Amino acid sequence: MAVTSAPLRPELGGASPAPTLPRTGVRWSKFRRRMITWLSGGTVVLLILLCFLGPYVLPLHPPVGGSVLNSALPPGSPGHPLGTDVNGNDVLSRLIHGGQASLTVGIAVNLIGLVVGGSVGAVSGYLGGKSDTAIMRVLDVLIAFPSLVLVIVLAQVLGPSLPNTIIALTAFSIPAVARIARSSTMKVMSMPYLQAAQLAGSPWWRILFRHIVPNIVPQLTNFLMLGMAIVIVTEGALSFLGLGIPAPNPSWGNMVYEAQQSMSATPQLVLWPALALLVTVLSFNLLGESIRDEVNTR
Amino acid sequence: MGQNQSRLENAPILTVENLRVVFSKHGREVQAVNGLNYQLSSGRTLAIIGESGSGKSVGVRSLMGLLPPSAKVTGSVRLNGRELVGLSEKALMSVRGKEIAMIFQDPAASLNPTMNVGSQIMEAIRLHNPMKKREAEVKAIELLKLVRLPSPETRIRQYPHQLSGGMRQRIVIAIALASDPKVLIADEATTALDVTTQAQIMELLVDIQERLGTAVIMISHDIGLAANYAHDVMVMYAGKVVEHANTKSLFSNVQMPYTKALLGAVPQLTTIPHSRLTVIGGHPPDLSNLPTGCPFAPRCPRATNVCTAEEPPLERQNDQHSYACWHPVGGQPLEAAGTADVLKVDAQDGACSESSTSTQERAVFASSLDERAKR
Amino acid sequence: MTSTADAQVTSPRSKKHGSFLGRTAGSPLLRLIIRRVLLAVPLLLAVSLLVFILLEAMPGDPARNQAGMDATEDQVEAVRRSMGLDRPAPERYITWLFGFLRGDLGVSSVSGRPVAELLAERLPVTLELVGLAFVLSVVLALPVALLAARKPGGIVDRLIMVFSMTLLAIPNFVMALLLVLVFAVTLQMLPAIGYVPVQVSLVDNLRSVTLPVLALAIPMACFYARFLRGDLGEQLLGAGYIDTARAKGAGIWRILWLHAFRNSSFGLLTLVGLNIGALVGGTVIIEQIFAMPGMGMLMLQGVISLDLAIVQSCVFIFAAVAIFANLFVDIMYAVLDPRIRYGSH
């Protein structure tokens, strides 16, 4: 009795492990995922449009320099749809201008993180060996810090201002992006097609731009969305502590701080910036998750 | 093995009647299993053969309620006269492992990497037969001896990653045998193993069956394996049985072109070296949208108009052999006329025609069948 | 801040396909522990050096701050000498480092008290917050994740996932204020600010830390619950050993707890370790909001008043805590995972 064993061929399906998943279910969950992607992506786009074009298009009061006579008007007051804060500034206008600051910081920090961290990580993973070890050791030092602690010290060293807030926050984003870029690069480097390209004598720049960059971009995009959420929250924390966007210029963080001072009298003032942060962070998190799912299923 | 008892001699322990499994999600239905009928007696082995997606795996998983909640099972499964379809999850829990046990395909994945193998066997023992840990350990060592694992006293403390693939599959079998099940299902139990280990494991299963009188259902895509180890063979396609026969009768007298195609896909010693193996062109049909007529018709070299118009019933040729086909091959090599048919059908369907058309492949096809027929 | 690690955490199962033949090569566990500890030492040194360099770059003149607004140049110089600031930077770093190893952390330029003494007062508060928040986050996440995973796609699962996603999106300082708004301002159940030492009253102590601990723990708990739910669900769908357990006749809770969770625990452990840093960092802002006299508040005041001795020690200790937490997690991982314990590579 010889045991015949057919080599596994796709047609004959070497394996039939799980029951074939009903295609309709896949289609539905795909549809739901798409919907979440569109919703979160749409919210992000809307937020960006509102915060960057709003100040030019909408008839907004200036975010600063309000009169104390208008202090703490309730929402729905004439001319102030969301009311005013204790200093008599229009809450809606401050929300929009504050969002502009938050988003500017978020986008700038992540772009810098992407370019600097992405290159450092990709080069480190591409070179490998001693230079890789050296680069990673340096990044380990930065990552060893609780990020908020490092950012607080940096922000104080640099002094509170929008550009300095951006610089301080890159201390968090560069090493994080670099690590992800490095691990993705190393994954690509071990792929047979890359080794084939190397053996065929492709120059390094061709390998880097044709093979490595396109393959690490999806991973990085996913992280950038989460990075936006993290940076916006950290910026909020910094401004809340008075080390980020300097008052009286609005930022969601320092709006929360100001509202805290009068919380028992005007609790709704905490809610507006809190809601703004919630919606923004939620949208970026969801968008990041959708992108990750999309990357993983591919 | 291979003793040709009549099925009537032994009262069936498992009777499956008109078993259907439908996955329904958000209004659409996928018919994974479409009317299975079979009986199984103690000490007998039934092989269920088919491509992936043919419903063979779903069909047996449904026996023990191991399908996701989206699956709807209808029909009847009687184990020793007790109806299993429609049992509550809790009642099924007492069937699983105790009455029907299952061995899965990949021994590397079937064992929990974080538990030592002893506690995994002991868990299976104590779930259906509450006893002290020490007693369970004694029983576990006995089981490991039964599956012929060397030095079971030390192995029992080891973790799956410390064992070879064959050893792991022995452990999985020991787990399956923990509560002395009446029916043992081996779902591609040897597919992930190398040929030598595969033979060892199959011989072990045969040996255990002889000793314990267990009824075995083996699921495989490997028709050669079925020929060697099963008493009966059931060939499934698109959730339906297309040929069901005593092993001897099946291989001496193949009727269904699909079975024949499966045979053609097995490499033979008589095959000319470096010649291409036949593969079955095209793909299995979409189970949520089955065509009328014979489901295999779009891929069948013998298909004619009647095949696409009307579904052939599963007909009894004799006591030992039934098949569902309008144009059974009847053990004869294919005539030349078949080739033209294939081309026509392939063109119609736009299915890939690279596979079963060249005359060389056809020769392989035929010779493999001759080889089988000689046995 | 809580989602930092999300992108980096891969399931431990995916990267473990060790050799299949068991062999015991010496004690891989011990070697692993020694290697990790040896790696941590240069890291700590580098961290302390970076802190020192950062503080060198701080604006303002600590000597002038110390001497006071109306001090003369000579007085400032005298203070500078007494603080040792006239010596070159490398020398001062070495002095600080050896002082730190001896337990001499310098003197706070604002209060004039030894930093070690201040830390001894403040550290217990922060440790209580971090410890309780850590335990609570895991204790909350576990049952929630198991409950959600029991019926993947069911109503309970969906509610939990939506709820946790929303809570996760609330930054901890906002969470803190919302908690104050509800439990202190509106319901007046718990104190809004202040810390009662445990020596004074255990009950009051617990009441005083409840809100800050919740503010720290809730976002973390959501993060862990989501990770755990995802990992459990993945196993329920595709892991062979889950099929085996079901085929044995095990019930869903037994499967979840004994089989699936055991395998998820390693990934969870990694995640928890990575988040200790975020948790410790979170105390800086939470202590500020709740007026908790802990290390975070000490550090923040030090940063704002340019009290270098305090900032240096606090920042270093924060980083050291995060490094040690990760070290501990690595070792725990090795101790718990049989694949590492018995060596598979």
Side-chain angles (χ1 to χ4, degrees), chain A residues 189-204:
Chain A
M189 290 291 287
S190 65
M191 293 288 178
Y193 67 81
L194 201 106
Q195 285 160 359
Q198 279 178 321
L199 288 174
S202 293
W204 64 269

Side-chain angles (χ1 to χ4, degrees), chain B residues 64 93 95-101 128 176 178-181, chain C residues 247-249:
Chain B
M64 10 183 357
M93 271 164 63
V95 172
R96 293 181 196 140
K98 191 168 185 223
E99 314 272 341
I100 308 178
H128 300 292
S179 300
D180 198 7
Chain C
K248 274 181 199 174

Side-chain angles (χ1 to χ4, degrees), chain B residues 67-239:
Chain B
L67 293 173
S70 60
K72 208 174 83 202
V73 182
T74 54
S76 160
V77 175
R78 280 194 309 279
L79 183 75
N80 268 342
R82 181 187 181 199
E83 179 60 56
L84 299 186
V85 173
L87 279 189
S88 69
E89 178 71 13
K90 204 170 176 193
L92 278 171
M93 271 164 63
S94 66
V95 172
R96 293 181 196 140
K98 191 168 185 223
E99 314 272 341
I100 308 178
M102 192 152 172
I103 307 165
F104 295 93
Q105 176 182 351
D106 183 4
S110 313
L111 293 171
N112 190 331
T114 60
M115 286 168 86
N116 68 36
V117 296
S119 41
Q120 298 188 52
I121 302 172
M122 279 149 67
E123 183 190 21
I125 296 170
R126 291 171 72 195
L127 269 170
H128 300 292
N129 194 358
M131 58 170 84
K132 293 226 172 63
K133 263 203 170 143
R134 212 161 293 157
E135 293 170 272
E137 195 174 309
V138 174
K139 177 109 198 277
I141 291 172
E142 270 170 37
L143 281 168
L144 289 181
K145 283 180 183 152
L146 181 69
V147 297
R148 292 193 225 124
L149 192 80
S151 52
E153 289 85 359
T154 46
R155 293 290 177 206
I156 209 167
R157 309 240 174 274
Q158 292 192 313
Y159 286 86
H161 76 272
Q162 295 170 297
L163 306 172
S164 69
M167 288 187 198
R168 284 185 208 156
Q169 198 62 309
R170 285 170 201 271
I171 306 276
V172 174
I173 294 172
I175 290 174
L177 296 174
S179 300
D180 198 7
K182 296 175 185 71
V183 179
L184 184 61
I185 300 171
D187 188 355
E188 304 259 13
T190 57
T191 305
L193 303 172
D194 64 78
V195 183
T196 323
T197 320
Q198 188 175 45
Q200 286 170 357
I201 295 289
M202 284 315 297
E203 297 298 343
L204 174 69
L205 284 176
V206 169
D207 182 48
I208 285 167
Q209 180 177 44
E210 274 166 11
R211 275 212 252 172
L212 307 178
T214 320
V216 175
I217 302 179
M218 58 177 278
I219 307 288
S220 185
H221 66 278
D222 182 347
I223 203 163
L225 206 64
N228 285 326
Y229 293 102
H231 300 101
D232 298 287
V233 176
M234 200 163 94
V235 180
M236 283 185 72
Y237 186 80

